[in-house]
Amino acid sequence: MGIGNDRVSMLLKGERVDMVPVFPLGIRAFAALGVGYTMGEAYSDGEKSCRAELWAQEQYGFDGFPNFAYGPFGAWEFGGEIKFPEGEFQQAPMAVRYPVISEEDVWTLRVPDDISTAGAIPIGMAHSLTAAAAGATVMTPNAGVFTTAGNLCSVQKLARWMIKKPSLAHRMLELSRDFLIGMVQLWVDTFGKDILMYNAEPSAANQVISARHFEEFVLPYSIEVHSAALRMGIKHIMTHICGDQNLNLDHWTKIPMGDPGLLTFGHEVDLHTAIEKLGESSVIMGNVEPSLIQNGHPNDLYDACRAAIKAGKGAPRGFVLMSGCGFPPKTPPYNFFTMVKAARELGKL
Amino acid sequence: MSNSDRAEALLRGDKVDRVPLYHFLLGFCARNVGYTTVDMYNNAEKSFQAQLWTFEQYGIDGGPDYGYASYGGWEFGGEIKMPEGEWQQAPSHVNFPVNTEEDLAALAMPDVKTAGSLPLAMEFSKLQQKHGKPITVTLGGNFSVAGNICPPSTLCRWMLKKPDAAHRILQIASDHILDVVRYWSDTFGAENVIPNLWEPMAANDIISPKQFEKFALPYIKETNEKMLGMGIKHILYHICGEQNANMPLWAQIPMGDPGMVTFGHQVKLSTAIEYFGDSCIILGNVLPALIQTGTPQQVYDASRDCILEAKDAPRGFMLMPGCELPPMSPFFNVYMMKKAIEDFGYYG
Amino acid sequence: MASDEKKAEILKGLHDSVVEYEEEKTVEVANEAVAEGLDAFEAIMGGLAKGMETVGDLYVRQEYFVPELLLCADALYAGLEVLKPHLKAESHAEPRKIILGVVEGDIHDIGKNLVKVMFDAAGWQVFDLGADVKIERFAEEQKKCGAQVVGLSALMTTSMLAIPRIIKTLRDSDSTVRVLVGGAPLNPDIAASYGADGYADNAGEAVEQAMKMLQQA
């Protein structure tokens, strides 16, 4: 068990790689469909979904490691309800009932006593056990503290409370923080410290909150969760700085990421900017626009990969070609093949 | 060795480094590249490009090809419908040009330059030529073309009750096949053209070996002889479905030197080699439904079994599904066929 | 009233003319049966249906193929047309009912038509929905006619994917309905994985399979 041997893991160990690695972020649903599983199984069956990812990795020859994360993470774990995707057009789980509805709920809500049985944690654990058995690097489920807090009460409510009732917002973030630290501890207890913590923060994007609110409500809690993980012995934290976070970038530089960290960016953040601000301490990953991956002509996609490789290739701690956000499940397989092909042809180091 | 080299090397009689992979796979390509199924059948350029891309991705040798199993109806003035919706896989008949003996008597030979799908097929072949790919023209076998001009049930009834009408429609189908192949030969040079002929309707699922002998064999044999007489070098015949009882009859039909014969899972590859191994490249025959519904391991095992059974066929062997690759096949299962070749398909 | 000898001769005549796919002869013998006052139900079951049973056996044994089956069916229906108007209401029990159809997206109906012949011949009431039948229609029709069995046919690997959906809609609407499936890309394993109760490899086996399924029910 430990850090694997793929190219991304080699970058973490400070080793040289022969080409720019390709790591499609959150490929679980695409991989499951490619094997003939349903979209629902991609989320509800940890073992199957991880196996599908490993198979996709073999088929397409990409790097990186299996990843169990999904949008409304936290809601089910705290006693709310989510729905797994079904039918033709649903692509990810959705929260159908949040654990916190009223202000009173905030003060009665508790971190689950036994995190190992809460919500989707057993599914995530089965996913990680499958990854570990295959010799792949293990990564925790999403430990984004602000996004998880939003999943406990809805982002709208959290946003209103940040302005009108900040004590409620802070309480949500404390609950989220404590839960996530407990979850990371569970993963370390199970798999040892040579794992990655994963953090995705879509709700902290500037499409949702300001840099000032980031500073007050995201930054301190993120520092606490990250620091706790590093104290547990985790060496690298992979963080998906989702969406438009240009105004938050200076804050992100204050959050410890391990040595090196892994930072993935949406297409909204210019890779040159990302490298300039964060490239000395972290591997930079990104940032091909997901809608182009799903709908674009292969030649246009190839060109977009070329541009990303060109911009990222010289990053001091390394660069990984990645989708700018979760890999679209309905991507035509040839388009994904095109991304890997672009890295092979244009990313030689 | 590059992918397109491998199939051509076998046709030249040269050695290849590994068992080549071959597919008929239009509908699957649409899914794989994000086009619609209709694009594959009514847009030559998209169909060609989607196949090139898919072949590159899965390491497929040979092709691309254009064509579909219900060939003949539209070309003789009937109507077909392009596939649409979730469950349709290929063009299908709306109505047939011949329903009665009167229709048959009045039936005119189509102009191969303008009839039905042929202008699209020609456009496709020009792309094959432009890209240096083998030039193929896909038609039904004689019996299947006849069974697409009139409803197959009518052809069946006529064989027993009105054999003259059955013979007449088979003669028309045969003349048409030759007309098309002649047009392709005139355009590209006969030595560059490989007719692809699919014969699902002559399977023993439908007709008896005696009926095959009387109504299919003489027409197929004569047509193939005439095509070879024109200068065609290789004919690809897809001997579709259950044809075990027809095998001794098929063996009497010349396919070129070498020909290419592809079989469904119903015919064992060892049987195919016994009848055709000395004169033809053998292609086949992983059960299509298994590729669509089986586990990756099952597809891998079935591909391995085919490779081990037929790899040493005297004129060569190419791994392919027993019929068209099911369009809804999981992508990973399709990859498993190539993986089996990597693991078991190398020579020497 | 016909003598036993005459009756036996007529039944054999009906049987043989179906087996030998002599349509005109079948009509002739059926008319004779009516003229001789034979019970129409007996003539159908003991003559025409028996003939079709033999045809089914010949098909399974690969002595007959689709062309012969089609013509035997023509003869059977010609005979039925003569005899059916003479059926007495009380002469037989309520027939078993089956719905047949080729699934959505698929127009290949020769196999389904042959299966229909076999069920017709075996005295079932057949509700034939034709080809390219929309998914929901099977359950709708089953609700209307109360068929105990639904038979689904597909020739294409793509269209066969509609079968599990159809089975689900049928089960949701009536948990007792039995589903029989068949067609080139299917096999017993796929049929079972789709939740079907039975699979028939060919038209000759379909009725037997349906009977088995009902006995198991």
Side-chain angles (χ1 to χ4, degrees), chain B residues 86 89 157 206 208 211 292, chain C residues 65-66 68 74 157 165:
Chain B
E86 201 176 341
Q89 166 167 347
R157 286 192 173 91
I206 302 179
S208 70
Q211 287 155 353
Q292 176 168 294
Chain C
F65 291 80
V66 173
E68 289 82 2
D74 293 349
T157 46
R165 288 235 207 141

Side-chain angles (χ1 to χ4, degrees), chain B residues 12-72:
Chain B
R12 282 195 309 269
D14 293 346
K15 292 220 171 306
V16 288
D17 54 348
R18 62 154 172 85
V19 167
L21 178 62
Y22 196 86
H23 275 291
F24 305 142
L25 76 181
L26 297 193
F28 176 83
C29 288
R31 268 179 77 225
N32 190 54
V33 310
Y35 289 164
T36 65
T37 310
V38 177
D39 287 334
M40 301 304 296
Y41 291 98
N42 74 2
N43 185 324
E45 200 143 327
K46 277 188 157 178
S47 182
F48 188 84
Q49 183 64 67
Q51 291 184 63
L52 275 191
W53 283 336
T54 303
F55 288 12
E56 175 197 10
Q57 182 182 342
Y58 294 88
I60 297 166
D61 308 273
D65 302 307
Y66 171 84
Y68 51 90
S70 49
Y71 178 87

Side-chain angles (χ1 to χ4, degrees), chain B residues 178-243:
Chain B
L178 283 174
D179 286 348
V180 174
V181 173
R182 195 173 298 113
Y183 174 36
W184 253 252
S185 297
D186 291 347
T187 310
F188 303 104
E191 69 283 4
N192 299 317
V193 175
I194 303 178
N196 281 9
L197 303 158
W198 299 356
E199 198 47 287
M201 278 187 216
N204 300 132
D205 306 295
I206 302 179
I207 65 171
S208 70
K210 273 195 191 137
Q211 287 155 353
F212 184 95
E213 187 170 13
K214 199 165 161 195
F215 292 95
L217 175 65
Y219 295 98
I220 297 175
K221 191 160 181 252
E222 189 184 345
T223 302
N224 280 18
E225 282 164 357
K226 285 186 174 165
M227 287 193 286
L228 296 169
M230 280 179 211
I232 297 283
K233 284 189 182 155
H234 318 282
I235 297 168
L236 181 149
Y237 240 104
H238 176 46
I239 299 175
C240 185
E242 168 56 83
Q243 302 241 15

